[in-house]
Amino acid sequence: DLKTIDAIAVAKGPGSFTGLRIGSATAKGLGLALDKPLVGIPTVEALAYNLYDVNGLICPIMDARRKQVYTGIYRYEDHRLMTVKDQMAVGIEELLSMLNEMGEAVTFLGVPVFKDIIADKLTVPFSFAPAHLSRQRAGAVGALGVLYYKEGRTETAAEHKPDYLRVSQAERERAQKLKKGSEGENA
């Protein structure tokens, strides 16, 4: 029964623009209709939660195109997922430089497109999570949703917005077109 729901957990991004819009619109609609709060879960944080109680750093990576990744850096302390660096869109080489500076063993999970560059550039011990743990899971979003709801980390359906981490290609192209148009007017 929908009336027994306390809150609605939703992956808030990053991810595909269309997927995030659909997921957020669905969660917002349910939240508004049922008058229930939303618990926005960072996508890469939910991905990291797949590796419960792993030692060392956990680094989920999602391909953001153009040699960039959506990522964050996490660790477990006392059986609790802790954020070392919040989710971000960053160049893969910049991420690897950060991890090298931290000087700790790291476990990667997510899209394996960058395995070769990781092996080439990373100087700290590293491993890759098995495939069955390297994908986004609704169960991880739900489990974190329960924890964060109990901590009061909620928002109203009206307040919720996806966290894209960067603008879409269409928005970038529009901005470039507007910039070129304004440069032509100033000439």
Side-chain angles (χ1 to χ4, degrees), residues 115-136:
K115 274 189 172 184
D116 291 340
I117 195 167
I118 290 169
D120 186 49
K121 303 275 184 184
L122 206 61
T123 59
V124 296
F126 65 93
S127 61
F128 296 97
H132 70 284
L133 296 175
S134 286
R135 300 287 179 246
Q136 297 171 34

Side-chain angles (χ1 to χ4, degrees), residues 11-38:
K12 70 177 185 178
S16 98
F17 290 94
T18 302
L20 291 174
R21 286 183 183 116
I22 291 169
S24 288
T26 302
K28 286 174 75 98
L30 286 169
L32 288 168
L34 300 171
D35 194 29
K36 299 293 179 176
L38 270 54

Side-chain angles (χ1 to χ4, degrees), residues 100-154:
N100 282 333
E101 286 177 23
M102 291 178 176
E104 297 180 55
V106 60
T107 302
F108 290 95
L109 68 163
V111 181
V113 275
F114 297 107
K115 274 189 172 184
D116 291 340
I117 195 167
I118 290 169
D120 186 49
K121 303 275 184 184
L122 206 61
T123 59
V124 296
F126 65 93
S127 61
F128 296 97
H132 70 284
L133 296 175
S134 286
R135 300 287 179 246
Q136 297 171 34
R137 300 167 130 184
V141 172
L144 282 173
V146 169
L147 293 174
Y148 295 169
Y149 173 75
K150 289 177 180 176
E151 294 173 358
R153 293 168 61 177
T154 64

Side-chain angles (χ1 to χ4, degrees), residues 51-119:
L51 296 184
Y52 183 77
D53 252 0
V54 165
N55 290 321
L57 299 174
I58 300 169
C59 187
I61 53 176
M62 296 168 56
D63 189 3
R65 309 279 189 242
R66 290 191 230 113
K67 293 189 179 180
Q68 283 199 326
V69 292
Y70 296 127
T71 190
I73 302 172
Y74 305 89
R75 76 166 72 251
Y76 276 93
E77 293 177 8
D78 296 322
H79 313 291
R80 182 164 172 79
L81 185 65
M82 305 300 288
T83 302
V84 176
K85 289 206 179 268
D86 280 325
Q87 64 179 15
M88 61 190 131
V90 65
I92 185 66
E93 292 196 20
E94 185 179 343
L95 171 64
L96 298 177
S97 179
M98 274 187 251
L99 292 168
N100 282 333
E101 286 177 23
M102 291 178 176
E104 297 180 55
V106 60
T107 302
F108 290 95
L109 68 163
V111 181
V113 275
F114 297 107
K115 274 189 172 184
D116 291 340
I117 195 167
I118 290 169

